[in-house]
């Protein structure tokens, strides 16, 4: 595997960054997780846009233009003959000194890894997954805004550990007010009476790219789509529930905090959205070759 670091392609064993990089020392940086399907990078423009928005929010000057970054992602896939896989794009504050001050960091580092990823076992897509709500809440907007896809994912990692301790793979994270925000690495949707509902971004959800695509697909299929504040009660009493994410795609949820959701099986609306999403991933995107 060849890994892109600051314009060079390095073998896996030589792809290393300094222990003085503030990405390591302080989680100071931003990232994206992107998928390639069938020789195309899916929704690359949206991922690049989100990366630059995250970077702007933390005053991180990315040393490439968005067009150059787009080219670098595609070129890294090409270099690795990646037709189907997962791309991790990371921008760190760069090499600095011990001490927080980002002004000591000369130049942000850009890292692109083109590999594969499997988040959940395939049978969970067939049967549906059980999740729980965990005590760790999403960060406040007034702290590190949860819309920033920063390298500091400890908040979500703690929630993930709490999910694992409860014997499940994913967790619902509430915000400080107790409304449903999202999961540790996925956005959450419910279907109720034929309507598709997902928490609003101000509830603490990431501006999920898959979330946006699913809302578009549902609206195009004539479903009413809205983004109200949701409580756990709304989730327990939904007809269907599913999660979305670049890695997970669309995964049905059949149990939440011990409550069976709907029939206890993946619902029809979810299955239709899964089929439409699969169709889209196979044909659209930035060509690699
Ligand atoms: N929420 C969080 C916290 C995430 O890290 C992610 C990405 N893994 C998502 C939601 C899903 O976003 P996307 O569809 O853009 O991958």
């Amino acid at each position: 595997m060849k890994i892109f670091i600051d314009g060079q392609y390095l073998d896996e064993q030589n792809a290393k960054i300094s222990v003085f990089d503030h990405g390591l020392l302080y989680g100071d940086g931003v990232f994206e997780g992107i998928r390639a399907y069938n020789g195309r990078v899916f929704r690359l423009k949206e991922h690049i846009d989100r990366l630059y928005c995250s970077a702007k929010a933390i005053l991180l000057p990315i040393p490439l233009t968005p067009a150059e970054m787009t080219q670098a992602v595609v070129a890294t896939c090409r270099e690795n003959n990646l037709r189907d896989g997962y791309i991790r794009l990371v921008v760190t504050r760069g090499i600095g000194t011990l001490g927080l001050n980002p002004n000591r960091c000369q130049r942000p580092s850009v890292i692109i890894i083109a590999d594969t990823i499997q988040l959940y076992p395939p049978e969970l897509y067939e049967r549906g997954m059980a999740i729980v709500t965990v005590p760790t809440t999403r960060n406040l907007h007034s702290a590190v805004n949860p819309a920033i896809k920063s390298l500091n994912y400890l908040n979500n990692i703690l929630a993930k550990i709490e999910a694992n301790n409860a014997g499940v793979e994913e967790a619902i994270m509430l915000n400080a007010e107790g409304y449903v925000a999202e999961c540790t690495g996925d956005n959450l949707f419910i279907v109720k009476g034929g309507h598709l509902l997902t928490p609003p971004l101000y509830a603490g959800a990431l501006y999920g790219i898959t979330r946006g695509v699913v809302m578009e697909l549902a609206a195009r299929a004539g479903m009413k789509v809205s983004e109200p504040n949701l409580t756990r009660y709304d989730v327990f009493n939904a007809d269907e529930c599913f999660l979305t994410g670049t890695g997970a795609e669309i995964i049905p949820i059949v149990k939440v905090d011990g409550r069976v959701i709907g029939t206890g099986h993946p619902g029809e609306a979810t299955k239709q959205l899964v089929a439409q999403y699969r169709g889209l991933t196979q044909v659209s995107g930035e060509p690699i070759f």
Side-chain angles (χ1 to χ4, degrees), residues 36-37 39-41 74 77-78 82-84 87 286-289:
Y37 295 97
R40 290 161 187 277
V41 186
V74 172
C77 293
R78 206 177 289 139
L82 188 88
R83 285 188 65 81
D84 290 277
I87 303 146
E286 191 80 24
I288 295 170
F289 297 103

Side-chain angles (χ1 to χ4, degrees), residues 31-33 47 50 86 138 149 153 156 182-187 205-211 244-247:
F31 77 102
E32 279 297 317
H47 283 284
R50 188 172 65 186
Y86 182 83
R138 287 292 276 167
K149 211 164 156 59
Y153 247 50
N156 299 44
E182 58 169 344
C183 291
T184 70
D186 300 310
N187 289 107
L206 187 81
Y207 294 32
I209 311 290
T210 320
R211 175 186 185 273
T244 63
T246 295

Side-chain angles (χ1 to χ4, degrees), residues 235-256:
V235 179
F236 298 155
N237 290 294
D239 301 329
E240 301 181 29
C241 178
F242 61 85
L243 310 183
T244 63
T246 295
E249 301 179 323
I250 301 172
I251 182 152
I253 299 301
V254 291
K255 207 181 235 189
V256 177

Side-chain angles (χ1 to χ4, degrees), residues 13-193:
Q13 58 274 25
N14 297 320
K16 294 182 178 151
I17 59 154
S18 165
V19 293
F20 289 99
D21 192 304
H22 279 207
L24 172 71
L25 289 176
Y26 298 113
D28 187 354
V30 293
F31 77 102
E32 279 297 317
I34 310 168
R35 282 285 279 268
Y37 295 97
N38 198 25
R40 290 161 187 277
V41 186
F42 189 60
R43 291 292 195 263
L44 183 52
K45 183 182 182 312
E46 286 83 344
H47 283 284
I48 298 288
D49 286 350
R50 188 172 65 186
L51 180 81
Y52 280 77
C53 288
S54 293
K56 184 171 195 176
I58 68 160
L59 295 109
L60 176 69
I62 298 182
L64 303 179
T65 64
E68 288 166 343
M69 189 66 90
T70 302
Q71 278 317 302
V73 170
V74 172
T76 307
C77 293
R78 206 177 289 139
E79 193 74 20
N80 287 283
N81 270 320
L82 188 88
R83 285 188 65 81
D84 290 277
Y86 182 83
I87 303 146
R88 172 55 50 91
L89 173 52
V90 182
V91 186
T92 73
R93 187 76 64 179
I95 299 170
T97 55
L98 296 180
L100 291 182
N101 196 346
N103 294 341
R104 301 268 165 79
C105 302
Q106 298 291 317
R107 188 178 195 272
S109 273
V110 178
I111 301 163
I112 307 171
I113 310 167
D115 200 358
T116 55
I117 193 171
Q118 200 214 343
L119 284 188
Y120 304 122
E123 61 271 17
L124 290 185
Y125 287 86
E126 290 297 315
R127 282 194 277 116
M129 190 161 82
I131 56 174
V132 295
T133 310
V134 292
T136 298
T137 57
R138 287 292 276 167
N139 284 330
L140 292 172
H141 289 199
S142 49
V144 178
N145 193 308
I148 301 169
K149 211 164 156 59
S150 91
L151 289 183
N152 201 317
Y153 247 50
L154 201 46
N155 191 232
N156 299 44
I157 290 166
L158 291 180
K160 186 82 165 181
I161 291 170
E162 289 162 353
N164 291 343
N165 286 347
V168 296
E169 301 258 356
E170 245 304 9
I172 295 182
M173 298 179 78
L174 307 178
N175 61 23
E177 289 180 289
Y179 291 110
V180 173
E182 58 169 344
C183 291
T184 70
D186 300 310
N187 289 107
L188 181 138
F189 283 84
I190 61 172
V191 179
K192 183 76 180 173

